[in-house]
Amino acid sequence: MAALCCKPCELCCKFFGTCIDEGCKCCCAVCTKPCELFHDFCCPTNRPSPIFLTFSVIVCGLPMIAGIIGLASGTSDPCDQPLFIYLAVSIVLNLLLIGFAVHLYLAFSKPYTGGPHDSNPMSRGSHMFCYDPIVLVFFLVFGGLLVMTIMGSVWSGTADQCNAEILSSTSTAVGFGWAYIIGGGIVLSFSWCVECGRVKNQGHIPVHHAGQNITVIKKPSLVERLFFPRPVPVVANPVPPPNNQRPPA
């Protein structure tokens, strides 16, 4: 049932991922070298797109810097709200979120083995969602970020006796916290769609068969033949028949 429910999502992701990749290529053809460099960064063909990793480094790294500056400004200054505690916890949470983005990028950098849980981005992502303990830690950290961002918003709004440096650092951390909470899922979904398009545009999906990895070339659909034409053979590297079925020499 879960696989049946995820199938429309997978097809949608593959289609939009292909559209994104083809759209990037179209822009590159118009504005030449600068856009080609952007396409190689945004939609590379030999590795996952670093969109979510870049987003996490920027959106989580900047409040970490702001938090360190705020704590370095002096924890001995009087403050009627626990903003120092908020900044310290925020630094730890953002560091863990960057670590999760790195883990996700490295996980999808590995070639697909073609097994039942690793045949495409959807199956690999579903398996990680259910069995990867780091994904569980991510959800706990994300929940902690949500709680701390709400508390930081309340504390910074009601603080009267804190110095300006602490208030500025807290406001920066709160703002980027909301940016990650609202935009993180959108950027992750977009990056996943680009990964689906990358795998689909490779024209083949390695599958596991009889202890060996073979390459099966999928016949393009009608939409692909109309909008994304490319020469695709039908089958490559056929599996030899078992020894007991081979004709005598």
Side-chain angles (χ1 to χ4, degrees), residues 12-28:
C12 178
C13 214
K14 286 182 178 180
F15 179 77
F16 281 105
T18 303
C19 290
I20 291 166
D21 188 69
E22 293 295 330
C24 287
K25 291 178 181 177
C26 181
C27 291
C28 292

Side-chain angles (χ1 to χ4, degrees), residues 11 14-16 18-19 22 200 219-230:
L11 295 176
K14 286 182 178 180
F15 179 77
F16 281 105
T18 303
C19 290
E22 293 295 330
K200 187 175 182 182
K219 185 176 180 181
S221 65
L222 177 61
V223 174
E224 292 175 300
R225 293 197 299 269
L226 289 176
F227 298 99
F228 314 115
R230 63 181 185 272

Side-chain angles (χ1 to χ4, degrees), residues 131-149:
Y131 299 103
D132 191 346
I134 297 181
V135 176
L136 174 61
V137 174
F138 164 74
F139 282 109
L140 295 176
V141 172
F142 186 85
L145 178 67
L146 176 61
V147 172
M148 291 304 298
T149 302

Side-chain angles (χ1 to χ4, degrees), residues 94-124:
N94 282 293
L95 181 62
L96 292 174
L97 291 175
I98 293 177
F100 171 74
V102 173
H103 169 72
L104 203 62
Y105 182 81
L106 294 177
F108 279 89
S109 296
K110 300 176 183 177
Y112 293 93
T113 62
H117 303 299
D118 199 42
S119 59
N120 52 48
M122 182 63 70
S123 61
R124 177 177 290 184

Side-chain angles (χ1 to χ4, degrees), residues 85-97:
I85 297 176
Y86 167 76
L87 290 176
V89 174
S90 176
I91 291 173
V92 175
L93 293 178
N94 282 293
L95 181 62
L96 292 174
L97 291 175

Side-chain angles (χ1 to χ4, degrees), residues 24-95:
C24 287
K25 291 178 181 177
C26 181
C27 291
C28 292
V30 174
C31 58
T32 63
K33 196 64 178 178
C35 282
E36 288 180 6
L37 296 175
F38 176 77
H39 176 267
D40 292 340
F41 172 79
C42 174
C43 307
T45 58
N46 59 345
R47 63 184 186 278
S49 173
I51 298 174
F52 180 69
L53 176 60
T54 305
F55 170 83
S56 299
V57 170
I58 294 175
V59 176
C60 298
L62 292 179
M64 285 180 58
I65 297 174
I68 293 173
I69 294 175
L71 292 177
S73 65
T75 56
S76 59
D77 295 339
C79 186
D80 60 339
Q81 297 292 350
L83 299 186
F84 294 107
I85 297 176
Y86 167 76
L87 290 176
V89 174
S90 176
I91 291 173
V92 175
L93 293 178
N94 282 293
L95 181 62

